[in-house]
């Protein structure tokens, strides 16, 4: 009863609500209002802690242990001056991020020897846009095996390294109001930006958000980046290589704060930059015409890379040594940006984790497919699809970013995933004078496929490429299917249904039954075709080959033909601490925690949903984490992941005819093998296309109705055409009448 009364009181007062995962539940009033963020000093932050609305009490605890601060606990009376309390400004407003109190999610566990905030925390860098205030973070573990450090092994806990952190630097103007469904615009600059807390994540489905999942704040004002650098002092003999992390998430979810770059930056001496970009419809809605050409999300990435290229030297980063890396959508985007005219001269190396720019889902080449997805999405939100103008206008002016973000998780009529960049060949885009602040050139992304551009050699002359897949990539398609819980077993009927759905979704309209049988033949374990364990394994292999492995094999061969150094590895191991079942020991993006240095970091840096424990990691987990971080940073620095062996492991470059790859098991039994799954890859990239022939779309193209006038020139054209047609009909009638009259004379 008490809880019910509290709920009513909060509802009456218009307060916000959070579910058991700490996920914000917006009021269902159709207004574009976000109570979870606020603007301070011209930058958007997540809400500071309020005891009446606690959504993650671990983050803002006013009574947390604060050794040596001599600062009274927070009281919550906004506007009251507190001249003696450094956590508030002169107006009595609590300062954002770490300035307002210890933040364990971005500073780690608070310890007895933590430095005094007011004496050993702030770091200021002056960029070409203005000053940026960051902060120092202490690390208490060491990933280098030679150091022999192990937690709780009797050693006294001491500071092992420090890293300078700058969170939430705006790289573009907020894409709100008139900026929705338009390319990003450069930020004009600032006097001082307090980069002391992550910027909000871009709008995405609610099931991916929440404090326990690491996405605490969501807003359309989300174009921010984060920088982790070992040092900011000038006078370095050599600048650090720059590694830009592009998060994955199928272009519909994810955020820049999912990759804490502290360990990689501090111990392996690189500058890590993580970026946000617009997701889902807000990032990729395309009507293939001037109303919404699309590609806003990947244009965001291009603008972020330009900002980094121009300013990273102020963080001791070397702009002539930029590496892009990331999983799935991040990997595909890195490949697209690697050959795009906007960015290719700035990108020297790419690490594509389980993703390829040549995948079907990486770049939509069929404009009608993009239009169809936009049409289905608009109908889903109750918008008219009478014309593309009315569709976009409805989404722009009459739907909140929360509604649009949450609706992104839907099944398209064509393709596996609804949103991605689109090839804008022959698109009509707004002219220079259409919108103040945007020029015609801002709207274009690419007129060619990455395959064509690679064949032409349209990439940086010093490019090096590194890529990977896992042995059970698509296991997440089963483990995330709640209808299969708790045993996650599938039978032949379920397998056949999924294959038929895929065949229909990709418009295999010519000999559909033959295509189904070809796939079924290729992915059936014939010694025991009804065994559910083998059916599950074959389904995982089928989807892994189709979505990840075949496109990866295709881009490796293209780059090898162009004499680009290519390093390929296959993850055939697991994170022992996670104790995953055998059928999904090496799922998609399994290396994420290892690359972030999770075995060497405080668990407070990671979402509580992961249920990490400081002592859960095995020696093999720690060794694999070190190996991957060292290999990645070596590649960023030298273009070769193993100039010398790392824990006895080395890579070999792939060459034409002998596509060598590192079969990564553990640090004790990894080996170099040849030609990974060539037959299976050829089945998707060569055999099926020859069987299908020309793909005939079965979906209705979404175009403007031909009779609908929109502009004066179009109105004049149809008016004159109609008048001329009428005159012709009249002349014909008179000629017929005259001829008939002449016969009677």
């Amino acid at each position: 009863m008490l809880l019910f009364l509290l709920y009513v009181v909060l509802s009456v007062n218009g307060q916000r609500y959070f579910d058991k995962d700490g996920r914000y539940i917006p009021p269902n009033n159709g207004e574009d209002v976000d109570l979870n963020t606020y603007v301070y000093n011209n930058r958007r932050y997540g809400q500071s802690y309020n005891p009446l609305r606690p959504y993650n009490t671990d983050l803002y605890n006013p009574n947390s242990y604060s050794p040596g601060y001599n600062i009274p606990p927070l009281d919550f009376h906004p506007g009251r001056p507190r001249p003696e309390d450094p956590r508030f400004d002169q107006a009595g407003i609590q300062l954002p991020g770490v300035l307002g109190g210890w933040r364990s999610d971005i500073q780690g566990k608070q310890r007895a020897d933590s430095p005094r905030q007011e004496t050993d925390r702030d770091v200021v860098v002056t960029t070409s846009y203005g000053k940026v205030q960051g902060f120092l973070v202490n690390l208490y573990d060491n990933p280098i095996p030679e150091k022999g450090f192990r937690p709780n092994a009797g050693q006294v806990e001491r500071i092992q390294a420090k890293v300078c952190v700058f969170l939430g630097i705006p790289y573009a103007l907020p894409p709100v109001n008139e900026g929705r469904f338009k390319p990003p615009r450069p930020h004009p600059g600032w006097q001082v930006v307090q980069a002391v807390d992550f910027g909000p994540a871009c709008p995405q489905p609610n099931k991916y958000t929440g404090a326990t999942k690491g996405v605490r704040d969501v807003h359309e004002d989300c174009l921010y980046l984060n920088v982790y650098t070992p040092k900011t002092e000038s006078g370095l003999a050599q600048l650090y290589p720059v590694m830009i992390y592009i998060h994955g998430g199928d272009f519909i979810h994810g955020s820049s704060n999912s990759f804490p770059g502290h360990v990689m930056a501090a111990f392996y001496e690189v500058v890590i930059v993580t970026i946000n970009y617009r997701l889902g419809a807000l990032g990729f809605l395309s009507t293939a015409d001037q109303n919404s050409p699309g590609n806003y999300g990947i244009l965001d990435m291009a603008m972020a890379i330009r900002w980094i290229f121009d300013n990273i030297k102020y963080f001791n980063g070397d702009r002539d040594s930029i590496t892009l890396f990331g999983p799935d959508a991040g990997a595909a985007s890195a490949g697209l940006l690697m050959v795009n005219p906007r960015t290719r001269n700035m990108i020297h190396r790419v690490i594509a984790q389980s993703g390829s720019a040549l995948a079907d889902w990486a770049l939509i080449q069929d404009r009608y497919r993009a239009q169809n997805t936009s049409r289905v999405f608009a109908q889903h939100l109750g918008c008219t699809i009478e014309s593309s103008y009315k569709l976009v206008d409805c989404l722009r002016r009459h739907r909140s970013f929360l509604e649009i973000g949450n609706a992104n998780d839907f099944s398209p009529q064509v393709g596996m995933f609804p949103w991605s960049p689109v090839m804008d060949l022959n698109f009509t885009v707004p002219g220079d004078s259409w919108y103040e602040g945007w020029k015609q050139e801002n709207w274009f992304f690419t007129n060619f496929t990455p395959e064509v551009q690679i064949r032409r050699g349209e990439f940086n002359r010093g490019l090096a490429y590194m890529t990977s897949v896992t042995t059970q990539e698509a296991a997440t398609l089963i483990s995330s299917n709640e209808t299969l819980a708790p045993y996650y077993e599938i039978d032949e009927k379920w397998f056949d249904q999924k294959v038929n759905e895929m065949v229909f979704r990709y418009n295999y309209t010519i000999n559909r039954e033959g295509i189904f049988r070809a796939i079924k033949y290729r992915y059936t374990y014939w010694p025991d075709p009804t065994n559910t364990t083998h059916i599950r394994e074959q389904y995982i292999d089928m989807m892994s080959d189709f979505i990840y492995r075949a496109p990866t094999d295709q881009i490796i061969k293209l780059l090898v033909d162009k004499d680009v150094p290519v390093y390929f590895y296959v993850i055939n191991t697991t994170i022992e601490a996670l104790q995953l079942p055998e059928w999904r020991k090496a799922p998609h993006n399994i290396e994420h925690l290892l690359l972030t240095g999770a075995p060497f970091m405080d668990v407070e840096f990671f979402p509580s949903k992961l249920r990490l424990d400081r002592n859960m990691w095995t020696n093999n987990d720690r060794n694999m984490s070190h190996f991957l971080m060292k290999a990645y940073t070596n590649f960023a620095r030298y273009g070769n992941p193993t100039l010398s062996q790392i824990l006895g492991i080395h890579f070999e470059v792939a060459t034409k005819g002998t596509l060598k790859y590192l079969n990564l098991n553990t640090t004790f039994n990894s080996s170099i093998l040849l030609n990974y799954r060539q037959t299976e890859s050829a089945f998707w990239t060569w055999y099926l296309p020859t069987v299908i022939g020309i793909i005939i779309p079965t979906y209705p193209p979404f175009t403007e109705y031909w009779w609908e006038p929109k502009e004066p020139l179009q109105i004049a054209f149809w008016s004159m055409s109609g008048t001329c047609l009428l005159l012709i009909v009249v002349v014909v009638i008179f000629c017929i009448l005259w001829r008939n009259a002449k016969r009677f004379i």
Side-chain angles (χ1 to χ4, degrees):
M1 186 65 182
L2 180 62
L3 290 175
F4 174 76
L5 289 174
L6 179 61
Y7 174 85
V8 171
V9 170
L10 291 178
S11 300
V12 170
N13 288 285
Q15 306 294 346
R16 56 188 178 177
Y17 315 104
F18 298 87
D19 65 9
K20 61 184 177 63
D21 293 325
R23 182 170 56 223
Y24 171 56
I25 306 300
N28 187 21
N29 55 10
E31 297 179 7
D32 206 357
V33 177
D34 176 53
L35 302 176
N36 202 30
T37 66
Y38 72 105
V39 175
Y40 182 86
N41 196 20
N42 296 321
R43 212 219 85 173
R44 188 170 295 276
Y45 298 89
Q47 283 282 8
S48 56
Y49 176 76
N50 185 324
L52 296 178
R53 302 195 298 264
Y55 60 98
N56 189 353
T57 55
D58 293 334
L59 302 188
Y60 301 92
N61 189 350
N63 299 312
S64 63
Y65 178 60
S66 303
Y69 285 2
N70 297 321
I71 297 174
L74 291 174
D75 59 9
F76 298 94
H77 297 88
R80 176 186 297 175
R82 298 171 175 84
E84 303 299 327
D85 195 332
R87 294 173 292 183
F88 295 84
D89 64 12
Q90 294 179 350
I93 300 174
Q94 185 183 352
L95 297 173
V98 301
L99 303 181
W102 187 270
R103 284 281 301 275
S104 58
D105 63 323
I106 55 180
Q107 291 177 284
K109 177 182 176 182
Q110 194 172 13
R111 294 170 169 83
D113 63 343
S114 295
R116 292 173 59 83
Q117 284 189 332
E118 65 269 24
T119 60
D120 188 16
R121 181 197 61 196
D122 298 339
V123 182
V124 178
V125 166
T126 302
T127 71
S128 58
Y129 283 75
K131 292 185 177 180
V132 181
Q133 178 184 351
F135 57 98
L136 283 173
V137 171
N138 296 332
L139 302 176
Y140 292 84
D141 201 343
N142 196 315
I144 310 302
E146 291 79 8
K147 299 296 182 181
F149 186 89
R150 290 292 184 270
N152 297 326
Q155 297 143 307
V156 177
E157 203 173 41
R158 294 189 178 91
I159 297 174
Q160 301 290 320
K162 295 185 179 184
V163 59
C164 303
V165 179
F166 303 84
L167 304 179
I169 302 174
Y171 66 82
L173 284 173
V176 299
N177 302 323
E178 284 302 310
R180 182 181 289 185
F181 303 130
K182 290 185 177 70
R185 291 172 293 173
H187 201 286
W190 51 79
Q191 288 186 339
V192 178
V193 64
Q194 289 154 326
V196 293
D197 194 3
F198 290 113
C202 293
Q204 54 196 282
N206 283 343
K207 71 178 185 179
Y208 299 109
T209 66
T212 63
K213 298 177 183 177
V215 181
R216 191 186 73 243
D217 311 312
V218 174
H219 198 277
E220 196 169 6
D221 175 8
C222 61
L223 300 186
Y224 298 93
L225 57 82
N226 315 303
V227 179
Y228 305 83
T229 182
K231 295 178 182 178
T232 57
E233 296 86 353
S234 59
L236 287 183
Q238 187 172 1
L239 297 175
Y240 303 118
V242 180
M243 300 183 68
I244 303 174
Y245 179 79
I246 305 175
H247 69 77
D250 307 327
F251 295 110
I252 64 170
H253 68 94
S255 66
S256 62
N257 58 305
S258 63
F259 192 94
H262 306 74
V263 174
M264 195 178 280
F267 292 98
Y268 300 91
E269 296 190 327
V270 294
V271 176
I272 301 293
V273 185
T274 65
I275 63 175
N276 277 349
Y277 56 92
R278 281 174 283 180
L279 303 166
L282 292 173
F284 299 97
L285 181 88
S286 176
T287 57
D289 61 18
Q290 66 273 19
N291 293 303
S292 182
N295 292 323
Y296 315 116
I298 201 160
L299 291 173
D300 293 342
M301 300 179 209
M303 181 161 285
I305 292 170
R306 167 57 65 181
W307 192 98
I308 294 164
F309 184 78
D310 292 339
N311 291 274
I312 202 64
K313 62 183 177 183
Y314 304 113
F315 300 89
N316 282 335
D318 183 2
R319 75 177 198 169
D320 293 325
S321 181
I322 291 180
T323 299
L324 303 185
F325 73 114
D328 52 79
S333 300
L336 294 172
L337 294 165
M338 171 185 82
V339 295
N340 191 267
R342 293 175 181 268
T343 52
R344 62 187 175 214
N345 292 328
M346 295 181 278
I347 297 170
H348 301 83
R349 297 174 184 97
V350 168
I351 305 176
Q353 304 163 231
S354 301
S356 166
L358 301 186
D360 166 85
W361 48 266
L363 180 71
I364 296 175
Q365 301 175 32
D366 181 357
R367 64 186 296 159
Y368 299 116
R369 172 176 165 183
Q371 290 172 327
N372 177 257
T373 299
S374 299
R375 179 184 184 184
V376 172
F377 179 76
Q379 287 178 314
H380 187 58
L381 281 176
C383 286
T384 179
I385 58 171
E386 184 179 344
S387 70
S388 64
Y389 171 80
K390 293 179 180 179
L391 182 157
V392 175
D393 183 67
C394 173
L395 293 175
R396 175 181 289 121
R397 298 197 299 120
H398 302 294
R399 297 296 180 268
S400 72
F401 68 81
L402 293 170
E403 291 176 290
I404 294 175
N406 193 41
N408 280 321
D409 194 17
F410 73 101
S411 296
Q413 292 182 352
V414 186
M416 286 292 297
F417 310 108
W419 305 111
S420 71
V422 60
M423 188 169 70
D424 48 19
L425 180 64
N426 296 326
F427 281 19
T428 302
V429 301
D432 289 344
S433 60
W434 284 38
Y435 303 108
E436 184 178 356
W438 285 274
K439 294 184 177 181
Q440 186 174 22
E441 62 184 19
N442 301 146
W443 298 81
F444 290 107
F445 178 65
T446 183
N447 287 339
F448 304 99
T449 66
E451 180 178 1
V452 169
Q453 292 177 297
I454 291 173
R455 292 188 188 279
R456 292 177 177 176
E458 296 176 354
F459 47 78
N460 195 307
R461 291 298 89 194
L463 179 69
Y465 193 85
M466 180 173 166
T467 188
S468 68
V469 294
T470 75
T471 54
Q472 295 164 327
E473 289 278 7
T476 52
L477 295 180
I478 295 179
S479 62
S480 62
N481 190 333
E482 296 180 358
T483 64
L484 299 176
Y487 302 110
Y488 298 99
E489 293 180 347
I490 62 176
D491 56 19
E492 188 175 8
K493 181 180 178 182
W494 191 93
F495 181 94
D496 290 351
Q497 177 187 343
K498 292 299 179 182
V499 173
N500 270 315
E501 287 176 3
M502 185 174 68
V503 169
F504 179 77
R505 186 171 289 180
Y506 277 89
N507 291 306
Y508 293 156
T509 55
I510 298 178
N511 192 18
R512 183 178 297 162
E513 181 64 22
I515 300 302
F516 167 80
R517 292 183 178 278
I519 297 174
K520 184 74 182 293
Y521 170 77
R522 177 74 259 178
Y523 291 97
T524 296
Y525 183 73
W526 291 109
D528 192 0
T530 61
N531 184 297
T532 57
T533 299
H534 289 303
I535 291 174
R536 181 173 60 191
E537 290 176 356
Q538 292 297 313
Y539 177 76
I540 291 173
D541 272 339
M542 177 187 73
M543 299 307 294
S544 299
D545 290 339
F546 173 62
I547 300 173
Y548 302 107
R549 295 171 183 155
T552 296
D553 177 74
Q554 193 176 12
I555 198 169
I556 287 173
K557 291 173 178 174
L558 279 177
L559 290 170
V560 166
D561 284 344
K562 303 302 293 186
D563 297 321
V564 174
V566 177
Y567 299 89
F568 178 36
Y569 70 94
V570 177
I571 295 183
N572 195 26
T573 186
T574 186
I575 297 179
E576 295 175 353
L578 298 182
Q579 299 180 352
L580 298 174
E582 193 67 34
W583 62 272
R584 61 182 186 99
K585 278 187 172 294
H588 177 67
N589 205 22
I590 182 67
E591 70 267 45
H592 177 76
L593 288 174
L594 303 179
L595 278 171
T596 59
F600 311 99
M601 295 183 71
D602 295 335
V603 298
E604 288 80 0
F605 285 109
F606 297 89
S608 59
K609 195 82 171 181
L610 296 177
R611 298 178 181 175
L612 302 183
D613 182 81
R614 188 73 183 85
N615 302 309
M616 66 185 287
W617 309 101
T618 67
N619 285 339
N620 188 60
D621 292 338
R622 291 171 66 91
N623 286 339
M624 288 304 301
S625 180
H626 164 68
F627 168 79
L628 287 171
M629 288 190 289
K630 182 66 173 174
Y632 272 49
T633 53
N634 275 353
F635 182 79
R637 181 171 282 107
Y638 308 114
N640 185 336
T642 52
L643 282 177
S644 59
Q645 289 189 353
I646 306 172
L647 299 178
I649 305 175
H650 72 284
F651 284 80
E652 290 192 22
V653 67
T655 56
K656 190 171 184 178
T658 54
L659 300 176
K660 297 180 181 179
Y661 67 94
L662 173 61
N663 188 43
L664 194 58
N665 287 307
T666 67
T667 54
F668 301 104
N669 62 351
S670 297
S671 57
I672 299 294
L673 300 178
L674 298 176
N675 304 325
Y676 183 69
R677 295 183 72 84
Q678 291 299 291
T679 303
E680 293 82 357
S681 295
F683 175 81
W684 294 101
T685 58
W686 180 81
Y687 176 72
L688 272 190
T690 61
V691 174
I692 297 166
I694 300 174
I695 300 178
I696 301 176
T698 58
Y699 50 85
F702 175 46
T703 60
E704 300 286 349
Y705 291 122
W706 62 270
W707 63 80
E708 181 180 3
K710 292 190 308 178
E711 298 183 31
L713 185 61
Q714 192 175 3
I715 295 172
F717 172 78
W718 288 114
S719 300
M720 291 301 297
S721 298
T723 303
C724 292
L725 182 62
L726 181 61
L727 288 174
I728 291 173
V729 171
V730 170
V731 169
V732 170
I733 292 174
F734 273 108
C735 289
I736 294 173
L737 293 174
W738 177 79
R739 183 177 180 182
N740 291 337
K742 188 176 180 181
R743 290 179 179 177
F744 293 102
I745 296 176

